[in-house]
Amino acid sequence: MDEFIKDSKQSLSGLDAAKHIHVVLGNESCDLDSVVCAVVYAYYLKKVNSTDVVIPVVDCTSAELKLRREVISLFDYLGLAVDALVYQDDIDLLQLQSESRLKLTVVDHNSLSMKWKPLQAAVVEIIDHHKDSSEPASSVTKTIESVGSCATLVSEKILSADTGLVNEELATLLLSTILLDTVNLDAEAGRTTDKDREMSDLLSQIAGQEVGAKLFELLRKVKFDVSSLSAAQVLVKDYKPVGLCSTSSARVGMSSIVCGLDDFLSREDAKDAINDFMESKDINCVVVTAIYFPSDDSKPARQLGVFSNGGDVRDEVVACLQSDDLLRLTPFSPRQHISNMICFDQGNRAASRKILLPLLACSLSVGPSAMANSPATIESSSCDVRSALLSHSAASQTTPAVLQTVTNDNTRPVSPIEEYTADAENTEERDFKAVGVEGAPASVDLRAIEKYRRVVSHGGYERGTKHAIIVLSACFLPPK
């Protein structure tokens, strides 16, 4: 693997002679899952097709990756050269695309960030474990499943190919990543599925039964130790913008930190760091999601803080987050108060950023009043993050049949529907709705209109007249 990483870097000098360059790109947060999946899957593609130029690209700078201490620690443990990785500023992907020489595989995300949107036509494959928000394209091979780690899906692909490539080194890379993402396969964390466990078992047989537990403790310790980082570095370490499809004045970013809000806000430079951070990201509100361990032997806890110098923007975002009891937010006052910031303890530990991002984007799109005033409509909508969380929680405790894979398909995955008996379907109104059509009774199969459910939704009632408000969200129209 170390030789492949160094060869990838060296191949940059000879790209002019290559007809096609196949890049495997991780997401912009550059966490362990993203980096390992990019490197390992690129290695696999190179081994199965040695004539291709295949390069894993880390979507940050070398300096930014050094903030990811868990990545540095795992690579150092295995003797892999982090400095030899190809970073976003080492290769001109836009130029390669303009020359029609780029092939792009996307891992650990399924929708390109704004800076990479011009590369959309070059995408040939997507492997991801987040909610599908990718562009419809029949030419793209998609593997998108709600599992705990993208490394689980990469492991399955490589192991099922039966190439013999997964040696102790590769198994250690993948296993460590899965365990860190799933909190050592802890069911209470709400991330682990049967497939995560299955792949971990297979990888443990190759890497060694004791390796996983040892590395999980090491990586968890270094990941949650931010004592040597400034407040600004803590914020930038794991940041993602919130994608919106509305005219909301809120420009929101979400920064995930691995310490409690009390500890973070007690830093002398915290408020200046937040303001500078928002200016650098061109946002007017930042949501800080915190995960931390109250004690060495405790379960992880979550907190959430919303900061904006514009009170209206902050209050709009807070209202969106509180529009549903999914997060179970309880306001608290931090030891070091910072004006314009509202802090909450988050009772639902399973609601990670993977859940928060689409929840906030959706709520800002339709408005918190629509989320609060029409629970029946929202609950049936695929825009609803409650459904996403419940689906993922179910997947965490059931068989892999619940998981969803999309391959060469223009449709978005939807939560699987339980098999009902004929009698049950007649008595339950979950799947069928009785309506009147020109005075005659009719029954509508709600599953058939699943793709259109979030296009039209109920937005509450107009004050005074009680006229119903119907929300039409064109951005949610299905591809066909």
Side-chain angles (χ1 to χ4, degrees):
M1 177 60 74
D2 192 53
E3 182 180 356
F4 167 73
I5 291 173
K6 292 176 179 177
D7 287 347
S8 297
K9 189 87 163 193
Q10 293 172 0
S11 69
L12 296 178
S13 60
L15 293 186
D16 289 343
K19 184 177 180 180
H20 291 104
I21 296 91
H22 193 156
V23 166
V24 181
L25 181 69
N27 69 42
E28 59 190 338
S29 71
C30 297
D31 58 5
L32 187 66
D33 198 20
S34 176
V35 175
V36 166
C37 286
V39 172
V40 171
Y41 198 63
Y43 176 79
Y44 164 73
L45 291 175
K46 180 63 178 177
K47 290 297 183 179
V48 297
N49 191 348
S50 59
T51 60
D52 281 355
V53 176
V54 185
I55 301 174
V57 174
V58 180
D59 196 11
C60 68
T61 65
S62 175
E64 289 170 337
L65 189 67
K66 285 180 169 56
L67 302 178
R68 286 290 194 177
R69 296 184 60 203
E70 68 275 17
V71 177
I72 306 300
S73 295
L74 181 57
F75 275 58
D76 284 348
Y77 176 87
L78 293 170
L80 303 177
V82 174
D83 290 338
L85 290 170
V86 177
Y87 296 91
Q88 63 175 19
D89 49 356
D90 291 328
I91 184 169
D92 193 339
L93 298 181
L94 297 175
Q95 179 65 30
L96 292 176
Q97 171 61 7
S98 69
E99 297 168 353
S100 300
R101 295 197 296 141
L102 179 66
K103 291 198 298 184
L104 188 64
T105 290
V106 176
V107 296
D108 202 25
H109 63 306
N110 58 69
S111 180
L112 295 176
S113 60
M114 289 304 298
K115 67 182 175 182
W116 298 134
K117 285 295 184 185
L119 307 181
Q120 187 62 54
V123 177
V124 295
E125 185 173 9
I126 297 172
I127 307 174
D128 187 37
H129 65 128
H130 299 92
K131 179 178 172 62
D132 186 13
S133 57
S134 61
E135 298 286 339
S138 58
S139 59
V140 179
T141 300
K142 298 182 184 180
T143 302
I144 302 176
E145 297 187 19
S146 183
V147 294
S149 175
C150 187
T152 295
L153 304 178
V154 170
S155 300
E156 183 183 42
K157 272 185 165 287
I158 299 177
L159 288 170
S160 63
D162 197 23
T163 58
L165 289 177
V166 183
N167 55 18
E168 183 177 339
E169 183 179 55
L170 255 67
T172 301
L173 277 169
L174 293 166
L175 176 63
S176 302
T177 304
I178 295 171
L179 295 181
L180 190 63
D181 273 353
T182 61
V183 196
N184 204 22
L185 303 176
D186 181 5
E188 290 187 18
R191 303 182 188 181
T192 308
T193 67
D194 284 350
K195 185 167 288 189
D196 296 306
R197 296 186 187 93
E198 179 187 358
M199 291 301 111
S200 295
D201 287 344
L202 292 174
L203 294 169
S204 293
Q205 295 173 22
I206 302 171
Q209 295 294 334
E210 304 301 322
V211 170
K214 172 184 175 182
L215 283 175
F216 169 73
E217 291 301 330
L218 168 67
L219 298 177
R220 189 188 80 159
K221 181 178 179 180
V222 299
K223 177 180 179 178
F224 285 87
D225 180 9
V226 293
S227 58
S228 63
L229 302 182
S230 67
Q233 289 174 323
V234 171
L235 286 172
V236 78
K237 181 172 179 281
D238 192 357
Y239 168 80
K240 284 187 178 180
V242 177
L244 303 177
C245 54
S246 73
T247 57
S248 170
S249 61
R251 303 189 310 279
V252 187
M254 191 170 288
S255 184
S256 298
I257 67 174
V258 288
C259 61
L261 288 178
D262 270 328
D263 290 341
F264 175 71
L265 297 177
S266 296
R267 295 169 181 247
E268 291 183 3
D269 60 339
K271 185 169 184 178
D272 289 340
I274 292 173
N275 280 306
D276 293 344
F277 179 74
M278 290 199 307
E279 183 178 355
S280 69
K281 298 298 183 182
D282 190 27
I283 57 178
N284 58 12
C285 181
V286 60
V287 177
V288 181
T289 65
I291 181 170
Y292 68 105
F293 290 84
S295 61
D296 290 340
D297 58 350
S298 66
K299 298 289 185 181
R302 290 189 181 274
Q303 294 176 324
L304 189 150
V306 181
F307 178 91
S308 176
N309 287 313
D312 291 344
V313 171
R314 181 202 62 199
D315 292 345
E316 178 188 4
V317 172
V318 168
C320 288
L321 292 170
Q322 290 184 308
S323 60
D324 193 294
D325 62 358
L326 172 69
L327 303 179
R328 302 204 295 273
L329 299 178
T330 303
F332 80 94
S333 298
R335 292 193 302 265
Q336 180 64 44
H337 174 71
I338 289 185
S339 58
N340 299 321
M341 188 169 197
I342 299 177
C343 298
F344 301 90
D345 284 315
Q346 181 180 313
N348 188 345
R349 292 194 300 118
S352 64
R353 183 176 62 188
K354 183 178 175 181
I355 299 298
L356 283 171
L357 264 173
L359 181 149
L360 186 54
C362 178
S363 186
L364 285 169
S365 296
V366 302
S369 62
M371 294 286 281
N373 291 338
S374 57
T377 299
I378 294 296
E379 183 149 345
S380 67
S381 168
S382 54
C383 177
D384 178 39
V385 181
R386 174 185 289 280
S387 298
L389 178 60
L390 293 177
S391 174
H392 183 72
S393 296
S396 301
Q397 302 173 31
T398 56
T399 63
V402 177
L403 305 178
Q404 308 158 27
T405 305
V406 181
T407 304
N408 293 330
D409 190 357
N410 286 340
T411 61
R412 301 288 174 91
V414 297
S415 299
I417 297 174
E418 299 173 15
E419 292 185 7
Y420 275 45
T421 65
D423 289 340
E425 284 196 339
N426 286 330
T427 56
E428 293 274 355
E429 293 189 0
R430 165 178 166 166
D431 296 332
F432 291 90
K433 180 73 173 178
V435 297
V437 179
E438 296 182 350
S443 183
V444 176
D445 185 348
L446 297 182
R447 291 169 296 186
I449 62 172
E450 182 70 33
K451 294 188 294 184
Y452 300 92
R453 282 182 155 186
R454 57 178 174 172
V455 177
V456 181
S457 60
H458 189 264
Y461 297 92
E462 185 179 13
R463 183 175 299 174
T465 66
K466 296 297 183 180
H467 291 157
I469 300 172
I470 306 301
V471 179
L472 301 176
S473 302
C475 59
F476 292 132
L477 282 168
K480 292 184 179 179

